[in-house]
Amino acid sequence: MTTTITLVQGDITGQSADAIVNAANSSLLGGGGVDGAIHRRGGPDILAECRALRASQYGKGLLTGRAVATTAGRLDARWVIHTVGPVYGSSGSDPSLLASCYRESLRVADELGARTVAFPAISTGAYRWPLEDAARIAVETVRTAETSVEEVRFVLFDERAYEAFAAQLR
Ligand code: AR6
């Protein structure tokens, strides 16, 4: 099965997909950027499930590079897959951790049976990962992932991010 990669410029919370990936933080309890937008538009059910995860198997939070799913609330999706990107320039700023976000999110998507997955450009906002490098890692990782996901859609907020991803696909 080959995975088709598509690009869209815009707000990921307006997308229709089986799963929408959230660039979360390890607390799973919300934040700014995509995370804030997803919780705002998706409504309180998402945070309620995140809190339940923290109260059960994720007592210490979600590790960088890992992924976990919740309901998508009022978003036009079945699931939100939360993943935690590495902070650029910190001791944990290992590119393999950024690759792991994409790989683990696709693994969770496979477990759920999701066929279409929308990703933001993980770590390129508050976590400051340089866009070109992040785009290269994202595209390379998805291209080489073993997954049953049929469409991976990168949803880039602005023109610059869109161009960085488009350059990787040319
Ligand atoms: N749709 C698509 N992309 C978006 C949207 C949106 N609605 N909003 C922002 N972006 P960031 P990170 C882009 O900061 O760097 C949060 O507070 C944005 O332009 O959302 O992984 C979390 O709670 C950028 O290109 O995520 C964490 O604490 C990309 O999404 C922390 O930020 C990622 O920016 C995670 O930082």
Side-chain angles (χ1 to χ4, degrees):
M1 191 74 214
T2 52
T3 306
T4 304
I5 299 178
T6 56
L7 298 187
V8 171
Q9 190 184 326
D11 180 348
I12 200 168
T13 67
Q15 292 289 307
S16 169
D18 292 335
I20 291 176
V21 176
N22 181 19
N25 60 65
S26 65
S27 81
L28 289 175
L29 300 179
V34 194
D35 197 4
I38 283 176
H39 283 286
R40 261 194 314 278
R41 190 148 173 186
D45 290 359
I46 301 175
L47 186 58
E49 262 194 53
C50 287
R51 286 194 202 284
L53 287 170
R54 286 300 306 275
S56 54
Q57 65 265 53
Y58 293 93
K60 290 184 176 157
L62 184 64
L63 292 174
T64 304
R66 302 294 297 274
V68 67
T70 65
T71 175
R74 296 196 285 259
L75 298 177
D76 189 9
R78 294 179 69 185
W79 303 282
V80 169
I81 297 174
H82 307 263
T83 188
V84 183
V87 179
Y88 189 75
S90 75
S91 56
S93 78
D94 178 348
S96 71
L97 285 173
L98 184 53
S100 175
C101 289
Y102 289 95
R103 207 176 298 111
E104 284 292 298
S105 295
L106 290 174
R107 189 182 60 72
V108 170
D110 282 337
E111 279 174 13
L112 296 166
R115 291 292 177 264
T116 54
V117 180
F119 279 97
I122 299 164
S123 284
T124 64
Y127 287 177
R128 301 186 311 271
W129 206 287
L131 207 41
E132 282 67 29
D133 196 48
R136 181 185 56 77
I137 292 167
V139 169
E140 243 176 52
T141 305
V142 169
R143 270 188 177 142
T144 56
E146 294 210 13
T147 173
S148 304
V149 170
E150 290 163 11
E151 183 195 355
V152 165
R153 192 182 314 147
F154 290 111
V155 183
L156 295 322
F157 209 37
D158 55 23
E159 173 100 35
R160 202 170 78 84
Y162 183 92
E163 282 308 320
F165 276 71
Q168 294 301 321
L169 292 176
R170 281 197 278 270

